[in-house]
Every structure is written in structure tokens, then in C-alpha cells.
Amino acid sequence: MSSIAGVIAKELSAGERQVRAAVDLLDEGATVPFIARYRKEATGGLDDAQLRTLEDRLHYLRELQERRETVLRSIEEQGKLTPELKQAVLEADSKVRLEDLYRPYKPKRRTKAEAARKQGLEPLARTLLANPRLVPRQEAKRYVDAERGVPDADAALEGAREILMEEFSQAADLLGELREWAWRTAELHSRNIRGKESEGAKFADYFEYSEPIQRIPSHRALALFRGRKEGILKLSLQVPENPNRARGKKGSHSRRPEGRPALTLPEIQIASHFSLACKGRPADTWLLETVTQAWKKKIFPHLKSELEGRLREAAEEEAIRVFGGNLRDLLMAAPAGPRAVMGLDPGFRTGVKVAVVDATGKLLATDTVYPHPPQEQQVQALKTLAALCRRHGVSLIAIGNGTASRETDRLAARLIKDSPELRLEKLVVSEAGASVYSASETASKEFPDLDVSLRGAVSIARRLQDPLAELVKIDPKSIGVGQYQHDVTQSQLARKLDGVVEDCVNAVGVDVNTASAPLLAHVSGLNAGVAEKIVEFRDRQGPFRDRTQFMQVPRMGEKTFELSAGFLRIPDGDNPLDASAVHPEAYPVVKRIIRATGREVRELIGNTRLLGGLKPNDFTDQRFGEPTVRDILSELEKPGRDPRPEFRTAQFQEGVETLEDLAPGMQLEGVVSNVTNFGAFVDVGVHQDGLVHISQLADRFVKDPRNIVKAGDIVKVRVLQVDPDRRRISLSIRRS
């Protein structure tokens, strides 16, 4: 524990005491949001991002420790654990280094080297390696034994070579050096498989491609691996050979005798590691040929697999990071708030699905209208929509951005123009994941009697009211803000996205009297079972009036209450503090503030001048220090503040509805739908997102696109180029 805490503390540039305290809290079952907000004294103020990193590294290092113990136990059982090897295993700081050390001792399937040992050929291998002055063929004749499967000297030498090749390929320090050298110098090449040009057109950029493996960005790496998986691309890894192909000086191990080509750079490194050189001795040629065979047949194939794995791992890690960032931006998008909304799920032949929800998200009415071809019942559709808006006081129209979106957007514009007294606004929203929600168990429970096709319209309406509350009902991977999300390790992706959702939900807080069970399930300390019990209790007993009532909910123990209570809000409860992020455990601090100021809670809340004049140190005690008191005072100033931005809408340009309507130089407004490492995708209302390449995001160098834009941002773009055949749109945000 001490070493793990020390390693993490160094990586986070934090104190070991801080890390140890955070680890103890995590081990006790505390969540990252709870620790970040309510245990600042213990952790020295580590924020949620640091705590997520700490949590990930703790998981990795503990897995490493478990593997270390397994390796030590295995080697010890074989009777081969020396003090030096044990020390090296204990000091291994990565899984790769640990596996390098274990490689010679790992139980294997029957190998040629193992068979040669059983034939009694290991002494021959050892003798030739130790004394190159011996003549290999003459020495090998001593080991000829037909009964043991060694019919002649050539067979004996072949067996001895297999033993040395295995030894060369299992030298941990050598492998580490070669791996890092190859990572710095290797290039990954790709070419198309003949006859696959048309089928694999989307991979055309990689039909003739090469790049240093160390510099390949995440999106290109994952595209290359996908191209190979789909049978379109063939990948090969190449490392540099000896730049000086001329024969070296006499005695140099950089050349082979008898005019053979010079050893490659990695072969030179292997030879040097085992003190082998070409000095004209009888066994030198045989030993250096063994080095060559070890590199070609054993070491390079192993390193090739490892380097590709390293590239994939780094690419996946970055892709998951990008997906997590985009998901965070989408979940934290500005909510329209408690307004009655009409959701329109566009369609041609099947019609436009309509759902109206009230200010709390409760479904009020559904319908289907057919304003588009082939029915073209636009007049009737407008009458139906206007009647629904009047009847239910609709003020916002949410339009899904799928098929027939622009046509439906025009329909809504006509409705607004024809019925100005309704004071309607419209907005096209992403419907990504709406179909997944429609067919989900959550939707079935919520609307058991509602047709699946209409559930999507409900989701579209609600995600405009509160993106966070609605999108948590959908598997994050189905929301579509990722970069090759289906190509990454799904368990790691799910873990990352679950953490993002948890952080977002708890950053905003949840109204316990209106929240759905799926939303409550992401509150710190709660799970799906407890969330269902809260909803059942609320439905049976009526709205919660006080946070103390939470303890009456079945399965809500003291620990669960501690972790969740500060994030569960009661806006119109008996105690004003219950609507804030002040944790019930800290209410005594507020009582001290009340006594010191002579004001009641309701008089304190929002009183910026009074609260700003208070000194946090005057209200601390052994349990609650200055960081917590500062948070309490800040919360009293603006209780339950929403960290999300203010709601605003984008306006798509009239007459620009398809890709063919675009032309270079056009100035448009759009919504950022996705951000990757190479740029941002923007929806400009033509059913095909355009790409703002990273070089077009600003009039300066941009390292990370998310420093400039994020998913959900409304931006003004200029069309640079349109490629109808490849369905590609190039955009720019730059002024120049």
C-alpha cells in the first residue's frame, strides 16, 4: 500500500497522505463525486479529475501487484527464484516489464528448444556460446545419439540453435531495450489488398500509407486496424537496418564472414548483449546466424505484436478519453428547463411522430401526422400540431435531426408563422440513441402501452428540456459522440463512460421528487435497486418533504444516505438547506452561522453581502475545515446552482437542406455534434455533418480541439469544399 500510494502521489504531484486518504475512502465504498465534494479536508482538495486518475491507477497497480505475487510464487515453485531475480520482479513498474522477467519461466507448450533439452543438447549450446573457438560441427558430433532423436551433427546443431534462440528471445533487459528502440524507429506501412479497392473505398487514404508508429494519432491507428479487420488493408511493421551496408573493419561484429551482408541494427544489439562478435573464430559465424534467426523468428514477431498492441492500447485510451469528453459536454449541455415541449420524430412514409410533454416531462399527448410525401397532408398536419400546442401550452418544439428533419423543420417554421399567438420556438436536436431508448426495458416500463415508434418522440422532447435527465436512460455507447467507439475495449469504455455520467449527474444534483429511476441510479451511493425503491416510496407516500425521510426508504442504510444525501435535492421542502448541496452532516455548521449572524436560514440564502463578509475560519471545527465551510458559504449564496450553460438555439439557413445546396464560401450556423482529435463535426442541417479540421478551428495552432469547441456548441462556419461523391463537407471557423 505504501509503495502504491507513493507511486500515485508522484504521478499526481500530490502528497502521499492525500493519496492514502483517498484510497482509504474508495476502499470504504465512497464514490469519486462524494470524496471530491465532501471530503476535501481528508484529501487536501483533490478534484474529481485527479480522483478519477487516482482510481484508474490504483486499479492498474493493484492488478500489477497481484500479478507480481503470482509470478514470484510460480518461479519459486520451480526452484529458480534467485535474490537478484526476486529484486527485479519486485521493482518491475509495469506489466510489460514484469512479463519480460517472467517470460523464461512461464510454463509453455512443448517447444523445439524444450525438445532439444530433453535430447541432451543444452550442454552443446552452452559450450559453443561460452567458447566460440570450438568448431561447431566437430563439437556437435559428440552429441549424436540416434536413440534420443539426434541422428547427425546437423541435427545436434539445429537443436542447440533452438535453445539459444529461445534464450536470446527471453532476455528481459534486451527485450526492453529492443522494444523501446523499435517504438522510436519503426514505421507502420499499409496497402490495400488487391481487388478490394471498391469495397474498401472509405479506407482509400491508407491504400499506400506509412508513418512512424510512435507518431500515429489515435483515429488513424484505429482506422488502420479496422481496415485490416475488414480485410481491406494489409499492415506491416518495418524497422531500420544498419545504415552502413559496407563491410566493416576486420573483427567487427557488424559484418558476417565470407562476404555476408552486415548485421542489422537489432541483430548487432542482440550480439552485443551476449558478447558475440565476428573475430574469425570457428563458431562466430554459427553464433551470429543464430542471432539472425532469433531476431527474425522469435524476437521481431513478438515485438511486432507488442508494438501493435501498444499502439492499439494508446489509441483506445485516447479514443475513450475523447468519447468521455464529448459525452460530458453533451450531458452538460444547456437545458431548456421546465417548459411544455412538443417532440417531433421526423419521417416520410411512416409520418412524423408527435409527443407533447408538460414542464415536468410527463407525457400529455401523442399523434402521428403525414405532411411529407407520399401522403403530403400538410394542411391537416398543421391543424393537428397547432391544436396540440394550444391545448397543452407548448412553447418549444424539438425536432429530431434524422431523415426528413429539414422538411419537418420547415413545417414547424410554417406553424410558427401561421400561429404567432402561440409564441413558439423550434430547435433541431440530436436524436442519437432515441431508437435505442424506444426499444429498451426502461422505455417499456415507463410507457408499457405506448407504441415503440412514439417513444422516440417523447425522448426527443425531454432531451431538450433536460439533456442529462433523458440521456442517462440510454447506453452511452449508443449516443454516438465517440471516435471508433466500437473498436475499443468495451469494458474500459463502459467504465470510463459510467464515471463521466456519475460525475455529471452529481455535479448538477437531482430533484428527488421528479427524477426518474435511471437518473437516480447514477447518484453517488445509489444503484438501480435503491433508485426503484425511492420512486416506489415517492409514489406511495407522496413527495419528500425532508432529507431525513430518505432513511425510511427500504435498503437506504446509513452509508448509502451519507454518500447520496448531498446530491438529492428537495426544492420545495420544509428545510431550505435540503434544496442545496450542503450535506446534512454539515447542517451544524450552518447553525453556527445562524447564531453568529442572528439571521434565519431563509434570510441567509442569497444574501451575498452578508455571506461575503463572513470568515470561514470562524466556523470550522475538528470535523469541518476551511474548504468545507467555504463551500457552504458559496452554496448559501446560490443554493443548488446549475453548472450548465444558458439555453440558446441555433438557426439553420433557409434553403440549405441537402449537401447539393452547399457551395464554397457559404457562411452558416451549425451545432457541434462531435469532437475528435483531428477536428470537430458540425451539423449545418443537410443530413451530413461537415468537418472542421483542426487546422481550421482557429487562427492559431490548436493542440486539442476540445480547447476550442465542444459537443453542443453553436458555431458559425464557412464552407471550404464539398465532395458529393464521398459525402464529405469541409468547413472552417477561422476568420482568415
Side-chain angles (χ1 to χ4, degrees):
M1 175 57 214
S2 177
S3 61
I4 289 178
V7 169
I8 296 175
K10 187 175 181 180
E11 292 174 352
L12 291 179
S13 299
E16 189 169 337
R17 183 197 64 78
Q18 293 174 268
V19 172
R20 189 184 296 276
V23 170
D24 288 343
L25 287 164
L26 288 170
D27 287 344
E28 291 168 6
T31 65
V32 166
F34 176 80
I35 298 170
R37 179 169 289 183
Y38 298 118
R39 291 296 179 265
K40 291 182 178 179
E41 285 82 3
T43 67
L46 293 178
D47 61 30
D48 53 356
Q50 291 173 304
L51 289 167
R52 288 292 176 197
T53 302
L54 183 154
E55 189 178 41
D56 289 342
R57 290 296 289 154
L58 179 65
H59 180 75
Y60 177 89
L61 292 172
R62 282 181 168 169
E63 281 188 345
L64 176 63
Q65 183 60 30
E66 289 178 10
R67 181 61 176 161
R68 194 194 322 273
E69 292 169 2
T70 299
V71 166
L72 287 172
R73 187 164 52 250
S74 174
I75 300 175
E76 190 169 29
E77 288 171 355
Q78 298 173 43
K80 299 178 181 178
L81 186 63
T82 64
E84 295 77 16
L85 178 57
K86 182 177 181 180
Q87 187 62 29
V89 170
L90 291 173
E91 292 176 354
D93 58 358
S94 71
K95 292 178 182 179
V96 172
R97 171 62 176 166
L98 184 59
E99 294 306 320
D100 281 351
L101 292 168
Y102 186 41
R103 190 173 168 83
Y105 309 96
K106 184 181 292 186
K108 308 175 185 69
R109 292 177 297 176
R110 183 175 175 83
T111 64
K112 291 180 179 179
E114 185 182 355
R117 290 189 184 94
K118 290 183 178 180
Q119 292 172 325
L121 297 174
E122 186 161 16
L124 173 59
R126 295 269 162 264
T127 300
L128 293 175
L129 181 64
N131 188 3
R133 292 184 176 83
L134 297 174
V135 178
R137 182 168 292 279
Q138 290 180 2
E139 193 67 20
K141 290 178 181 178
R142 299 170 51 196
Y143 293 87
V144 174
D145 187 338
E147 291 184 1
R148 303 184 73 173
V150 188
D152 51 35
D154 287 341
L157 287 173
E158 187 59 32
R161 174 165 285 164
E162 289 291 343
I163 291 170
L164 290 180
M165 284 168 58
E166 185 175 91
E167 181 175 332
F168 293 169
S169 69
Q170 293 179 346
D173 291 341
L174 173 64
L175 274 178
E177 293 170 3
L178 287 172
R179 181 184 295 110
E180 292 310 308
W181 169 79
W183 180 251
R184 293 193 307 270
T185 62
E187 284 195 350
L188 189 65
H189 294 248
S190 79
R191 61 179 177 80
N192 62 297
I193 295 175
R194 189 171 299 174
K196 297 280 189 176
E197 292 84 358
S198 178
E199 180 185 344
K202 63 182 178 181
F203 296 106
D205 292 343
Y206 304 105
F207 284 176
E208 288 295 334
Y209 160 87
S210 66
E211 187 170 4
I213 190 169
Q214 190 180 32
R215 298 215 306 261
I216 299 176
S218 170
H219 61 280
R220 283 209 284 272
L222 293 175
L224 288 165
F225 289 133
R226 180 186 286 182
R228 181 171 65 182
K229 183 178 180 180
E230 294 184 8
I232 306 299
L233 302 176
K234 183 174 182 180
L235 306 184
S236 61
L237 191 70
Q238 297 180 15
V239 294
E241 297 186 345
N242 193 340
N244 180 11
R245 303 295 295 179
R247 295 176 63 176
K249 295 179 181 179
K250 186 177 179 179
S252 168
H253 65 237
S254 65
R255 70 175 178 86
R256 297 172 189 153
E258 302 173 4
R260 284 180 174 271
L263 293 178
T264 63
L265 287 171
E267 291 167 4
I268 292 172
Q269 200 165 347
I270 298 167
S272 297
H273 186 84
F274 289 96
S275 301
L276 302 177
C278 186
K279 298 179 178 179
R281 297 168 298 188
D284 283 346
T285 298
W286 183 85
L287 287 168
L288 292 178
E289 286 176 347
T290 301
V291 166
T292 297
Q293 293 299 311
W295 168 250
K296 289 182 177 178
K297 295 182 179 180
K298 298 278 188 181
I299 300 175
F300 184 61
H302 173 70
L303 289 183
K304 179 178 181 296
S305 177
E306 278 201 347
L307 293 184
E308 283 192 6
R310 181 170 175 177
L311 175 62
R312 177 180 287 279
E313 184 178 342
E316 287 192 6
E317 184 178 333
E318 180 63 13
I320 290 171
R321 184 192 72 81
V322 169
F323 197 154
N326 285 338
L327 178 62
R328 184 185 304 276
D329 294 338
L330 193 61
L331 294 177
M332 297 298 282
R339 300 165 65 179
V341 178
M342 173 184 286
L344 301 180
D345 189 354
F348 286 113
R349 183 181 57 81
T350 57
V352 177
K353 309 303 183 296
V354 185
V356 178
V357 298
D358 70 9
T360 66
K362 179 183 177 182
L363 179 61
L364 300 176
T366 61
D367 209 329
T368 302
V369 295
Y370 301 89
H372 311 312
Q375 294 88 348
E376 297 195 68
Q377 300 170 6
Q378 188 170 115
V379 174
Q380 182 58 47
L382 287 168
K383 287 181 179 178
T384 300
L385 297 180
L388 286 170
C389 290
R390 287 193 183 90
R391 187 179 311 132
H392 301 292
V394 171
S395 62
L396 272 176
I397 301 174
I399 305 161
N401 68 342
T403 303
S405 174
R406 288 311 303 271
E407 292 79 3
T408 305
D409 185 46
R410 280 206 308 273
L411 179 74
R414 174 78 180 276
L415 175 63
I416 293 171
K417 181 179 179 181
D418 291 350
S419 306
E421 75 282 0
L422 295 177
R423 304 175 66 85
L424 295 170
E425 291 181 89
K426 64 180 176 67
L427 182 69
V428 176
V429 300
S430 170
E431 61 182 44
S435 60
V436 174
Y437 164 77
S438 299
S440 69
E441 184 180 352
T442 298
S444 297
K445 287 182 179 179
E446 201 169 4
F447 305 110
D449 302 321
L450 189 64
D451 186 86
V452 172
S453 63
L454 289 168
R455 293 172 184 168
V458 179
S459 180
I460 289 169
R462 286 176 168 178
R463 66 178 60 188
L464 185 56
Q465 287 180 320
D466 190 336
L468 178 61
E470 190 61 23
L471 291 174
V472 294
K473 301 175 184 177
I474 304 169
D475 182 345
K477 295 192 291 294
S478 300
I479 296 176
V481 290
Q483 179 180 325
Y484 294 95
Q485 63 261 35
H486 301 296
D487 297 301
V488 304
T489 304
Q490 296 302 294
S491 59
Q492 294 180 10
L493 176 62
R495 188 165 175 234
K496 171 68 174 181
L497 300 185
D498 286 346
V500 169
V501 174
E502 183 182 47
D503 288 343
C504 291
V505 169
N506 291 284
V508 173
V510 170
D511 183 342
V512 73
N513 285 325
T514 61
S516 65
L519 180 59
L520 288 166
H522 291 287
V523 170
S524 167
L526 302 185
N527 56 34
V530 179
E532 290 286 355
K533 293 297 181 184
I534 290 174
V535 173
E536 290 173 10
F537 184 91
R538 185 178 74 199
D539 292 343
R540 187 175 61 253
Q541 302 289 344
F544 289 93
R545 300 297 306 170
D546 190 285
R547 277 172 168 166
T548 58
Q549 287 181 274
F550 298 162
M551 291 299 294
Q552 299 173 28
V553 176
R555 296 174 59 182
M556 176 72 80
E558 290 185 6
K559 186 67 177 179
T560 303
F561 177 86
E562 177 188 42
L563 296 176
S564 64
F567 303 102
L568 297 172
R569 314 288 166 73
I570 306 176
D572 300 311
D574 298 332
N575 185 342
L577 292 177
D578 289 348
S580 73
V582 178
H583 198 286
E585 67 184 9
Y587 286 1
V589 176
V590 180
K591 289 181 179 178
R592 288 201 290 273
I593 296 173
I594 290 171
R595 287 196 298 269
T597 60
R599 305 290 183 91
E600 292 299 322
V601 174
R602 296 184 191 280
E603 296 177 276
L604 285 175
I605 290 176
N607 194 332
T608 304
R609 179 176 295 182
L610 174 62
L611 294 168
L614 299 178
K615 296 180 180 179
N617 284 332
D618 292 343
F619 306 101
T620 60
D621 57 22
Q622 291 184 337
R623 184 176 183 185
F624 302 107
E626 185 177 338
T628 294
V629 176
R630 285 190 182 280
D631 284 348
I632 290 172
L633 292 173
S634 177
E635 188 64 20
L636 288 174
E637 283 189 35
K638 294 182 179 180
R641 74 180 74 190
D642 194 325
R644 294 174 291 184
E646 185 180 351
F647 177 75
R648 56 186 290 254
T649 62
Q651 298 297 322
F652 291 144
Q653 187 166 311
E654 294 293 334
V656 178
E657 300 169 3
T658 68
L659 189 141
E660 287 71 24
D661 295 327
L662 296 176
M666 276 187 173
Q667 303 282 342
L668 303 170
E669 190 168 78
V671 182
V672 177
S673 58
N674 195 2
V675 183
T676 70
N677 283 344
F678 55 86
F681 288 94
V682 178
D683 178 5
V684 292
V686 296
H687 307 299
Q688 176 67 50
D689 289 354
L691 172 64
V692 181
H693 188 266
I694 189 170
S695 62
Q696 295 295 324
L697 282 172
D699 293 319
R700 56 182 173 79
F701 173 75
V702 177
K703 184 176 182 181
D704 184 350
R706 292 189 69 248
N707 291 334
I708 306 297
V709 293
K710 60 181 182 294
D713 279 357
I714 296 170
V715 294
K716 292 187 181 298
V717 297
R718 184 175 74 260
V719 179
L720 296 179
Q721 188 177 8
V722 183
D723 185 345
D725 294 334
R726 300 177 74 182
R727 307 294 296 173
R728 291 186 175 181
I729 307 166
S730 297
L731 305 171
S732 177
I733 298 179
R734 292 177 58 174
R735 297 176 183 174
S736 58

